[in-house]
Each structure stands twice: as C-alpha cells, then as structure tokens.
Amino acid sequence: MSRWLVLLTAVFAASLGWSQKEAPSSPPVAAIRAGVLIDGESNAPRRNQVIIIRGNMIAEVADASAVHIPAGAEVIDLSQATVLPGLIDAHTHIFLQGEEPSQGGYDVQLLKQPLALRAARATVSVRRALEQGFTTLRDMETEGAGYGDVGIKEAIEAGYIPGPRLFVSTRAISTTGGYPLEGYSPEIEVPKGVQIIDGPVPARKAAREQLDHGADWIKVYMTHRSWVGKNGDLASQPTLTVEELRAIVDETHGWGKKVACHAYSGEGLQRALDGGCDSIEHGLALTDANVAQMVKQGTWLCPTFTVYYYDNSPADTPEGQRDRKRISAHEESFRKALKAGVKIAFGTDVGGFPWTEPIAQEFAHMVEFGMSPMQAIQSATSRAADLLDMKGKIGVIAPGAYADVVAVWGDPVANIKILGNVGFVMKDGKVFKNELGQRGNR
Ligand SMILES: [Zn+2]
C-alpha cells in the first residue's frame, strides 16, 4: 500500500466517523396556540389555530382540533391572545434620536458625537423596535453615520445584539443645497447628512458606491425645504433632475434593488415619478395626476404621519404654518391615494421622533384617515413585505415564512391602539419577549 493510499484511507475513515457522530439533528419544534390568528394576508381572523414552527420557519398552520403537535415540541400557549405576523416599519432612522431643537437638534450628532456613540445608541433603537413587535425595518438612511447601518445589520445577523431584520439604505443621496448641515459660514466646510451629487455621472457613481458597500435600498431626496406657497399650497424645493434620478434608478435596478424617494410635493415629486422611483416617502401633497401615475406605474406610497406631530413650531410663525400644512396636506393625500388603490406600506420616520415613543401610534392615524384596521395591519405585514420583495417570507403567518410572530391581549381589529401593547415577540423562531404565554413541553 502506498503512503498516499494509507493517507487516503485514513482520511476516508475519519470522515466516516465524523459524519456518524455529527448526524444532522432535526431543528427544535415549537407549537404556538393562537386564540385568534390574524395571518397578515387574509381579511378575516381565524379562531383556535396552532402554528407549528421548525427551527426558524413556520411549517404548518392549522385548526387546533385538526393538528398533531409533535412529541417534544415546546408549546407556547397564546390561546387567550391575538397572534399576528411580526410587524414591519418601512421607514425608520436607527441613527436618529429625535433630538430636541433645544439640545442642539440634528446638527450636534454630525458635529460633536463620535460615531461609536451613535452606533451604541442605534443598538438601543433596534432593540426598542423589536420590543414593540417590529421584527423588520426598512431603515431610510444613517444621517451622516455613513455605513453604520450595514454594521448594525451584521451585528444583529451574527447574534451579537438583538434587533429586527434590517433592510438598509446607507448614506442616501441629494444635491448641493439639498440637505443639512446648512446655515454655517460659506467659508467653513461642514459634514452633510447625505452623499451630495450634481450630475448623472456622480449620481450613478454614488449609487454604485452605496450598493457596493451593502445598501439594500437606495434612498434619494427629491425635495428638500418646504414652505406654504403663494396660493396656500405646500411648496417644496426640488433637488435632483430627472436625468440624475434616472441614472440612479437604472443602476440600482440593475443590481436587483429598489429606489425610495423622499418627495413632498410639486416639481420634485413629479421628477421622482418620472424618474421611475419605486416608493414615494411621505408624499405629503399628491395631486390627482400624481396618484393616477402612481397607480399606473405601481409606485408605492410610504406615508409617515407620526413624525409630523412632533416639534411643531408656534402656529403664528411661517415654520409653524408650514408644519400644520404638512399635517393637513398629508391626510388629504393619503385619503386620495387610498381611494385610488395606490399600494401603501406602513412607515413612521421613527428616529425623527424619539425611540422612547410608541411606533404603533401610526396605526391610529391610518385608521383615522380612512383605512380599516385590517388594512392598516396588512400595510405593516404582507403589504410591506411585498414592498421589500419578501412576500410569503415575512409579514405573514403561513408555511414557508420565517417564524416572526407577535401577540397582543384583545382585538386590534376592534381597537387598533391595542397594537401599542405587544406582549409577545418571536423573531426567526426565537422568543425575544413573552409577557403573555405559558410555555411548556408537550
Ligand atoms: Zn425619513
């Protein structure tokens, strides 16, 4: 026997022994008893359901009377609660903390805070989201914290810190004169909260850089300053040209990713639609023609009511009038879009207001402005999943979806505010919070 053959035989024997010792064990099985199940897609809740979870995936959902719970499964008894898919906030800023203007507002974060401080606070933001039942976030840019969101996402995925699934957009893009910091002496160079571009070639390059460094979405600011216009409308300053946006959209779509456009009104909003953006963020003052174009193009609307109720200037100032106009125009636009059948995903802009405040307050605004409670729930589950190209994987309780599951006491269809009290959170098959259910082994 040659030395090679001896070696080969030894290696083979060793690998055989290894495979015998490490035979693949089946993943842990859990069974959730759901008193009421709102699955995220169906319009009608179902009573007395059992959700069988293998590892991090939902394997089966069935009537409690018909299901066989496997021996050894961990049973989580939520038979007195309402069970829903993990919620999705499609517009967040984990690197913002809703800074009080009196404490220096937005600028101190970029001028005075070390990135490590901002990253440490972002770990608290993502934990806060998960505690409230939001198991997925589309985070809409880091506000001068560069690619910090990619790092936070990696830390969550590696299990170092608890947090939701993150879809990140890194630095975002605007034009010269199109983003803070501003108001400083022209002789001083100050950092900007976004990547500034002028021209289609730099625009494409910025998108390439951001995609290369891990952006799941590209975020573009298509309007910046806003004020009450001459005829009482909400006016806003346009930023990128259609050509600049087209370069970004073309590049991003080539990577199989999507473009989210912050757009309030007027010319900038029109350019966002003509440039082929995938989602309009805020969309405060949509015209009938804008709405028709969104329906035709399949453009998503991500309204964000909650943030506009914070830090309003006094009513007798131009800023204060602008702040109030934003709220009234937003309601009118939303009602119009809803009626016309525009695709709507739940978003809050949390970070623009403090993470200590409830994220779920957005639901109450959506219902107040015309959505049914079930529509509002679906906007934060299956609809938002569709926006994220994750239909069937998140935002739904069905076989083949990730086991992202939350629960509340009471009936959120009767009282949407109940979603502000999520008492059970499971993400990826792991229980993160449980104030509701008895747990035991079958
Ligand atoms: Zn935002």
Side-chain angles (χ1 to χ4, degrees):
M1 202 184 260
S2 79
R3 286 177 62 186
W4 278 115
L5 201 60
V6 171
L7 189 67
L8 208 65
T9 310
V11 167
F12 183 67
S15 70
L16 207 69
W18 177 263
S19 66
Q20 274 166 358
K21 258 181 275 168
E22 302 286 315
S25 59
S26 44
V29 181
I32 295 178
R33 291 190 175 280
V36 176
L37 176 67
I38 293 174
D39 71 8
E41 275 180 355
S42 318
N43 286 327
R46 306 202 291 282
R47 297 199 163 272
N48 298 323
Q49 301 290 299
V50 173
I51 305 160
I52 305 284
I53 294 158
R54 290 185 190 276
N56 66 337
M57 306 296 286
I58 296 172
E60 190 184 349
V61 182
D63 213 84
S65 60
V67 75
H68 168 73
I69 297 178
E74 186 196 11
V75 179
I76 302 168
D77 186 1
L78 295 168
S79 58
Q80 302 304 309
T82 301
V83 175
L84 307 99
L87 302 170
I88 302 167
D89 187 339
H91 191 126
T92 66
H93 296 279
I94 61 171
F95 277 89
L96 280 184
Q97 307 298 337
E99 272 73 9
E100 277 279 310
S102 64
Q103 292 165 15
Y106 182 87
D107 294 18
V108 292
Q109 301 170 101
L110 279 76
L111 293 172
K112 296 192 172 172
Q113 296 184 353
L115 191 53
L117 171 60
R118 298 193 65 192
R121 297 193 72 184
T123 66
V124 180
S125 309
V126 291
R127 187 188 181 99
R128 283 286 301 143
L130 198 55
E131 281 169 359
Q132 295 175 69
F134 286 82
T135 53
T136 301
L137 308 180
R138 185 181 60 146
D139 200 65
M140 290 272 79
E141 83 129 321
T142 61
E143 312 284 358
Y147 295 92
D149 51 358
V150 176
I152 298 291
K153 177 182 168 174
E154 283 178 12
I156 292 169
E157 286 181 355
Y160 294 119
I161 58 170
R165 300 174 191 282
L166 291 188
F167 291 81
V168 300
S169 55
T170 74
R171 298 180 65 191
I173 298 170
S174 190
T175 55
T176 295
Y179 213 75
L181 305 182
E182 49 203 10
Y184 293 84
S185 159
E187 286 74 40
I188 300 173
E189 199 159 322
V190 289
K192 294 288 179 188
V194 294
Q195 188 165 6
I196 298 292
I197 60 92
D198 294 288
V201 174
R204 186 180 289 270
K205 183 167 189 284
R208 284 177 178 158
E209 272 178 25
Q210 294 181 8
L211 291 161
D212 187 33
H213 290 310
D216 301 306
W217 277 73
I218 295 295
K219 165 80 177 290
V220 182
Y221 286 88
M222 290 303 292
T223 63
H224 179 39
R225 294 169 175 85
S226 63
W227 61 94
V228 179
K230 289 188 197 81
N231 46 10
D233 290 349
L234 183 71
S236 57
Q237 168 210 345
T239 52
L240 282 78
T241 63
V242 173
E243 289 67 33
E244 287 166 336
L245 179 59
R246 279 212 182 113
I248 291 167
V249 170
D250 180 63
E251 185 66 28
T252 307
H253 286 178
W255 290 57
K257 306 269 168 79
K258 288 178 170 174
V259 178
C261 285
H262 166 114
Y264 275 9
S265 67
E267 177 64 23
L269 176 53
Q270 188 58 54
R271 290 183 197 169
L273 294 173
D274 292 345
C277 77
D278 298 291
S279 70
I280 295 286
E281 305 302 307
H282 320 296
L284 299 189
L286 299 170
T287 63
D288 291 340
N290 292 151
V291 168
Q293 191 172 354
M294 290 175 80
V295 171
K296 188 162 167 248
Q297 294 181 181
T299 315
W300 286 86
L301 174 64
C302 187
T304 59
F305 294 112
T306 305
V307 72
Y308 295 104
Y309 292 87
Y310 286 85
D311 293 329
N312 283 351
S313 298
D316 56 357
T317 62
E319 293 77 21
Q321 284 163 16
R322 186 266 324 266
D323 293 345
R324 280 151 189 81
K325 185 73 204 174
R326 292 205 286 213
I327 291 173
S328 61
H330 201 354
E331 175 187 344
E332 201 184 318
S333 283
F334 178 77
R335 287 184 185 277
K336 225 186 280 187
L338 182 63
K339 200 169 160 210
V342 172
K343 299 187 288 185
I344 296 174
F346 178 100
T348 60
D349 224 350
V350 57
F353 60 92
W355 285 90
T356 46
E357 299 288 297
I359 300 172
Q361 58 187 308
E362 186 76 15
F363 287 112
H365 293 301
M366 293 175 114
V367 170
E368 185 190 344
F369 300 149
M371 267 189 168
S372 71
M374 192 58 96
Q375 277 179 309
I377 290 168
Q378 289 170 354
S379 80
T381 53
S382 59
R383 302 297 280 161
D386 194 5
L387 167 75
L388 293 167
D389 293 330
M390 291 288 283
K391 202 169 162 53
K393 290 287 170 196
I394 58 173
V396 64
I397 299 209
Y402 291 111
D404 294 355
V405 182
V406 302
V408 291
W409 283 131
D411 178 6
V413 176
N415 177 11
I416 196 74
K417 290 186 178 162
I418 281 173
L419 291 178
N421 276 318
V422 169
F424 174 87
V425 180
M426 171 185 275
K427 184 206 152 199
D428 222 19
K430 292 192 187 74
V431 175
F432 171 71
K433 174 184 184 180
N434 182 19
E435 296 164 356
L436 296 182
Q438 291 279 337
R439 295 174 71 178
N441 281 329
R442 180 177 180 267

